[in-house]
Amino acid sequence: MTIALPSNTATTLGVQQLANAFRPTFSYLRILRNLIIPMPEGHTVPTARIDAVLVCETGVYLFEIKAWRNAFVYRKKAEQSPPRWFLRLHGDKSAREVKDPAWQGGRKTSQLRALLCDELRLQYFVLLPCEGIELEGVMPAAVITQQDLPYIARLVRNNGRLARNYPLLDERAVDRTVERLLEIQGDLRIDDHLHNCRERSGQLPEAVAMPAWAAPNPMGLQ
């Protein structure tokens, strides 16, 4: 039993689940898959990939989609350092440490916030779309599973309509926002991002080299 699906398979699954959960709640929405954005000068990797970006009436929602499955997901906290994240396969006593997905999503959100107008609501989630995932202990509210999606869709709709600090987006505004996101991406493609990741891996000692990314499908619009 493997602890993760191929990343492109998990992204496809996550995007389908997002569409199924949000379309009954919002009359019009757009989903961008595999959006590549430039990162600030001097950043370790000059580009970042956002697995899914959903644009709807209440704003822009980013989803970091993780391919983990059939596992317990938990954190270990330390007083003087960030929490460490672990996966433990069902029926197994050993655990594997993984990168903090909340931190990954947060840094991409901060960068995109700097590139978009301040009038847009921008929020991110970590979506675990695969079967057999259980969250142990207290997790950040942004970490969600497939079962949480219908509730999240209603929550962002209700919060967005009640809030006074961000305007609601009609269909034209949703489309303009998508156009702006594609302008930010520009000529950047997944192959560029994968090349940047490989370059970064090649600069690291072998013992700490980053794992290779699974080749994803080209970005699709839904």
Side-chain angles (χ1 to χ4, degrees):
M1 183 183 294
T2 59
I3 204 168
L5 289 175
S7 63
N8 57 324
T9 303
T11 300
T12 298
L13 178 62
V15 169
Q16 291 172 345
Q17 292 173 1
L18 286 170
N20 292 339
F22 277 74
R23 281 186 174 139
T25 305
F26 293 95
S27 60
Y28 188 74
L29 59 85
R30 300 280 299 278
I31 300 175
L32 296 176
R33 173 177 167 173
N34 293 327
L35 182 72
I36 308 300
I37 63 171
M39 296 301 282
E41 185 175 352
H43 198 271
T44 304
V45 179
T47 54
R49 179 178 70 175
I50 303 173
D51 297 318
V53 182
L54 188 149
V55 186
C56 62
E57 174 188 359
T58 56
V60 180
Y61 300 93
L62 316 182
F63 292 87
E64 183 86 10
I65 299 175
K66 291 301 178 184
W68 308 330
R69 66 172 182 171
N70 300 321
F72 294 99
V73 182
Y74 65 96
R75 300 188 303 164
K76 288 184 178 179
K77 293 185 178 181
E79 291 185 3
Q80 303 299 325
S81 60
R84 297 167 64 194
W85 289 66
F86 296 88
L87 299 181
R88 188 176 75 248
L89 195 65
H90 291 310
D92 200 340
K93 294 183 179 180
S94 61
R96 186 180 87 185
E97 187 168 1
V98 294
K99 290 183 179 180
D100 181 344
W103 177 82
Q104 289 179 299
R107 68 187 177 88
K108 297 173 189 178
T109 304
S110 297
Q111 171 62 359
L112 196 56
R113 163 55 63 205
L115 299 172
L116 290 171
C117 70
D118 293 336
E119 294 182 354
L120 281 173
R121 176 189 296 274
L122 193 64
Q123 189 174 357
Y124 82 92
F125 295 92
V126 177
L127 174 60
L128 311 179
C130 302
E131 74 281 358
I133 282 292
E134 295 184 40
L135 304 179
E136 286 191 331
V138 179
M139 284 288 182
V143 180
I144 59 175
T145 65
Q146 174 188 358
Q147 290 73 26
D148 300 316
L149 282 174
Y151 165 76
I152 293 298
R154 295 191 300 269
L155 181 69
V156 300
R157 178 198 61 191
N158 295 340
N159 288 349
R161 289 178 177 177
L162 291 173
R164 301 287 184 178
N165 47 337
Y166 294 105
L168 297 178
L169 307 180
D170 59 18
E171 291 186 12
R172 291 183 60 189
V174 168
D175 288 341
R176 286 197 301 269
T177 301
V178 168
E179 291 170 4
R180 174 57 185 149
L181 290 168
L182 294 176
E183 287 176 1
I184 290 171
Q185 176 175 259
D187 294 331
L188 293 173
R189 293 294 179 263
I190 287 180
D191 286 346
D192 301 320
H193 177 64
L194 297 178
H195 173 75
N196 293 335
C197 291
R198 286 192 293 267
E199 278 200 338
R200 171 57 181 162
S201 298
Q203 295 170 4
L204 294 174
E206 183 177 354
V208 295
M210 297 166 57
W213 291 79
N217 292 329
M219 186 185 75
L221 288 177
Q222 293 197 358

